[in-house]
Amino acid sequence: MGAENLDDEDLYCHADLDWMTIKSSDVNAVVNALELENIQQGRFSYFGDTANTFVFPTPNDWIIIFHQWKPRGSSAEYLNAMQQIVTELSQKFGEAQAFAAYEDVISYAHWILAQNGILIRSFAKAGETDLFRNFGEVTEAESFIDWTDAELFPGMPEVIRLSQKWSTEPIFSNHPEDVVGVLGYKHLQL
């Protein structure tokens, strides 16, 4: 069942998630572009134990990358690093996106869209800091969000819904436990 058929309450996956989507069907090219180390084939269940990155293809020619790239810097530095990675990947693959939603310990959300090496859209908000970024024009896919709400704080349902509209989402339509993917480790440079 796709996320478009679910209510907001159903879109809570009760986890903090960071993921990217890349317009490609070539997993090896994406793994190489990410410069992953300790690469191995495996299942999502090994993600987090032996690897901080899990890469897998979807049937609709998008590649999903789950990651736990622990930043050593601030939320703003992490967001800047993610924008750079997404922009560089879009230069190689045409389009790249990043999404995050954290609600358990901290409140943080972001989404980033880059095409052909150009950052098109970046939105981020963090509850524990004053981080707020709203770069680029709001896309048609974001029209379901009430941008007039001064207290706007997007959560997992909004991030999942937007991911579905821009490309694909990694939980309800493309659950990672259903596939064998590539596990690896990435050093995030801040």
Side-chain angles (χ1 to χ4, degrees):
M1 173 185 288
E4 66 277 358
N5 299 324
L6 299 173
D7 294 329
D8 282 357
E9 192 171 305
D10 296 327
L11 292 177
Y12 280 102
C13 63
H14 304 289
D16 291 339
L17 297 176
D18 261 307
W19 74 94
M20 301 174 73
T21 56
I22 309 296
K23 185 64 177 160
S24 179
S25 58
D26 189 342
V27 171
N28 290 331
V30 171
V31 167
N32 289 336
L34 289 170
E35 299 177 344
L36 296 183
E37 298 175 2
N38 303 325
I39 299 167
Q40 59 187 321
Q41 293 283 338
R43 295 212 166 265
F44 182 72
S45 57
Y46 297 116
F47 171 64
D49 291 336
T50 61
N52 70 355
T53 310
F54 181 68
V55 182
F56 68 99
T58 67
N60 58 350
D61 291 331
W62 285 92
I63 291 177
I64 295 175
I65 305 159
F66 274 106
H67 61 87
Q68 293 177 338
W69 300 337
K70 302 293 183 195
R72 291 185 298 254
S74 68
S75 295
E77 290 172 314
Y78 176 67
L79 180 62
N80 291 339
M82 291 305 300
Q83 285 180 177
Q84 181 178 348
I85 292 168
V86 168
T87 301
E88 289 172 0
L89 288 170
S90 79
Q91 190 168 15
K92 294 178 181 170
F93 298 100
E95 186 166 337
Q97 306 161 3
F99 305 91
Y102 290 84
E103 297 176 343
D104 289 340
V105 176
I106 62 169
S107 294
Y108 175 85
H110 79 231
W111 53 83
I112 304 166
L113 168 64
Q115 296 172 334
N116 302 313
I118 298 170
L119 182 64
I120 304 295
R121 181 81 172 114
S122 180
F123 176 88
K125 192 165 184 178
E128 81 283 0
T129 68
D130 292 333
L131 175 69
F132 176 75
R133 188 168 300 167
N134 194 4
F135 171 83
E137 295 293 321
V138 173
T139 65
E140 176 65 30
E142 296 169 273
S143 65
F144 69 94
I145 297 171
D146 182 4
W147 293 100
T148 63
D149 181 0
E151 300 295 316
L152 172 67
F153 204 106
M156 185 64 72
E158 291 84 6
V159 175
I160 290 283
R161 229 179 258 297
L162 180 59
S163 179
Q164 179 69 35
K165 289 176 179 279
W166 274 358
S167 56
T168 190
E169 49 79 24
I171 300 297
F172 302 98
S173 300
N174 301 287
H175 201 280
E177 291 183 4
D178 298 338
V179 297
V180 172
V182 176
L183 295 156
Y185 188 84
K186 178 167 180 64
H187 294 278
L188 183 63
Q189 303 298 319
L190 294 181

